[in-house]
Amino acid sequence: MTLHCLRVWLFIISLSLLAVSAIIYFKDAHFLSKIYNGNGKLGALSSRLIATISMLMSLLAGHCAYEVHNKRFYSLCIWGFLLMLVHFVSEMTFFTTIRPSIYSITTIVCLGLTVGWMVFAYPRYVERTKHAAMESLRSSHSRQNLSKAGRHHE
């Protein structure tokens, strides 16, 4: 059940990041002014950079949702979400370029819950999948040895 729910959640996050990216690309930086302070420091280049990073994370989260057993993509997705979380928290607390609002708090909570959920669920099916793959490899290796042994006796 956890696996299916996590996949759906990652897909929803992927779609929302894709939507944010499209909004930033096509509606300029007005959307970002709801998150970042409206002090004029956020220019067009910064907006497009944020949109590109959001698009990249959308693709990563979408692929992780599709191929959730892939240890590399799963780990990359955790690190990507963790990097986004550190970015938002540091921008709010240290740099003070993000003002506390419903948008910024929701973003931080969603990122924190996603990272926590993915770290918590990691041993449940990424490690279990690794062990299942090893068992499958062993059984196929055994079958190959049996077929070779059968050919030697003929």
Side-chain angles (χ1 to χ4, degrees):
M1 182 68 175
T2 303
L3 174 62
H4 180 69
C5 293
L6 183 60
R7 278 185 139 159
V8 170
W9 177 253
L10 288 173
F11 185 69
I12 290 169
I13 294 291
S14 176
L15 289 179
S16 64
L17 284 168
L18 186 65
V20 165
S21 184
I23 289 169
I24 295 169
Y25 273 129
F26 299 116
K27 294 280 189 181
D28 201 22
H30 298 300
F31 179 76
L32 290 177
S33 66
K34 293 179 179 178
I35 298 173
Y36 290 90
N37 289 333
N39 54 12
K41 291 183 180 178
L42 194 65
L45 178 61
S46 298
S47 297
R48 288 191 303 272
L49 180 62
I50 290 170
T52 302
I53 292 169
S54 296
M55 178 75 71
L56 180 63
M57 275 307 299
S58 170
L59 293 172
L60 188 59
H63 189 81
C64 187
Y66 175 73
E67 197 175 350
V68 76
H69 296 294
N70 188 321
K71 183 178 179 178
R72 289 184 181 141
F73 276 103
Y74 195 91
S75 298
L76 277 172
C77 200
I78 290 174
W79 282 108
F81 284 134
L82 189 60
L83 185 64
M84 288 177 68
L85 180 63
V86 168
H87 163 74
F88 276 101
V89 170
S90 66
E91 290 293 333
M92 183 182 285
T93 58
F94 183 70
F95 299 109
T96 64
T97 53
I98 294 179
R99 62 178 167 251
S101 68
I102 188 70
Y103 300 103
S104 59
I105 299 297
T106 303
T107 301
I108 289 171
V109 168
C110 283
L111 287 169
L113 288 174
T114 303
V115 168
W117 191 0
M118 290 183 77
V119 168
F120 177 74
Y122 183 88
R124 282 213 165 95
Y125 53 90
V126 173
E127 288 296 320
R128 186 177 67 203
T129 305
K130 185 172 98 175
H131 295 302
M134 292 300 289
E135 288 299 320
S136 174
L137 184 63
R138 282 189 203 124
S139 66
S140 69
H141 186 66
S142 306
R143 284 189 298 248
Q144 287 174 353
N145 287 341
L146 287 175
S147 67
K148 285 179 186 177
R151 281 184 277 181
H152 289 295
H153 291 296
E154 292 175 359

